[in-house]
Every structure is written in C-alpha cells, then in structure tokens.
Amino acid sequence: SLMVSYDGTVRNSTNTLVQLCYGEDGMDGAHMEFQQMPIIKPSNAAFRRGFKFDHGDERSLRRALNEELVHQVTNDARVQSELDNEFLQLQEDRTLLRQIFRKGDSRIPLPVNLSRLIWNAQNIFHIDRRRPTDLHPLNVVDGVREGQLDG
C-alpha cells in the first residue's frame, strides 16, 4: 500500500520512496475544479470574433488599447504578424482540446481556477477593465510563451 508522507513524498509500507512528489505533479485530484474553457465550444466564426486580434479595426482597438498602442499595432507589421501567429497557436490549441474532450463539453477539470486567478490579478493591480490599457499585446504574448516554457 502507498501513502503520502508529511514531506510530500510517496512511500510504500516499508517506507521505501516511490515518488518524490504526489502524482509527480503535486496536484491532488480531490481538489480539481470544473471550469469553463471558452475556446472549445463556439463555432469557428464565433471563435474568430472572440479571440482574433483585428489590428485593422481601429474603433475596437481604441476601446481596448491607449492611443500610443493603437498606433503601434496598426502600423507595425511585426506586431501584426506576431498577433496573427498567436491566433494560429490558439486555433491549434483549440483543435487539440477538442480531440481530448471529444464530447464538446466546455467544462473541464483543472487544478487551478483560471478565472479566479485572473480576477485576483486584476484586483491586486487595480485594473479597470472599462478603460483602455497601456499593456502592449506583445508583452502578453511573450508572457504566455515564457509561462509555457517554465511549465
């Protein structure tokens, strides 16, 4: 029989080390939460409307980004290319998730509540979602990519 020791290691009845960390990832299956994954279910058109960064729609950009960023996004081909590449990555991720969760249910079990994590960050950093941001979209893309490499 196996048990998790106080130091977080998994050991058998003779106290022999079996795993350094429970589940090899440290996540307890008893604490998983079902959460909405908004990229799984929508039609392709709805997915595009919700997740494609339209660098040609200045009116929408002005609602989300400050003037300086609107100018950079609409006039810099590198920014536009990177944002288009990120959308392609989202499409690939969506295809993979649809293969994993074949029933099409957008509620999936995750060890971290992503909505609550984002909400907490918005509150800690006093983010007003009704005002344009000064956060460059490429900083967000780079941050996501770095987070993927760390994981």
Side-chain angles (χ1 to χ4, degrees), residues 39-54:
I39 70 171
I40 294 177
K41 227 176 190 165
S43 67
N44 290 338
F47 176 73
R48 188 175 205 64
R49 277 191 310 274
F51 295 96
K52 176 101 168 86
F53 201 97
D54 187 356

Side-chain angles (χ1 to χ4, degrees), residues 66-80:
N66 70 21
E67 275 302 315
E68 182 182 336
L69 290 178
V70 170
H71 180 72
Q72 289 178 20
V73 168
T74 56
N75 294 310
D76 188 339
R78 185 184 75 80
V79 171
Q80 295 170 3

Side-chain angles (χ1 to χ4, degrees), residues 132-146:
T133 184
D134 61 352
L135 180 61
H136 198 292
L138 290 189
N139 289 348
V140 175
V141 170
D142 291 342
V144 168
R145 289 177 182 162
E146 286 175 24

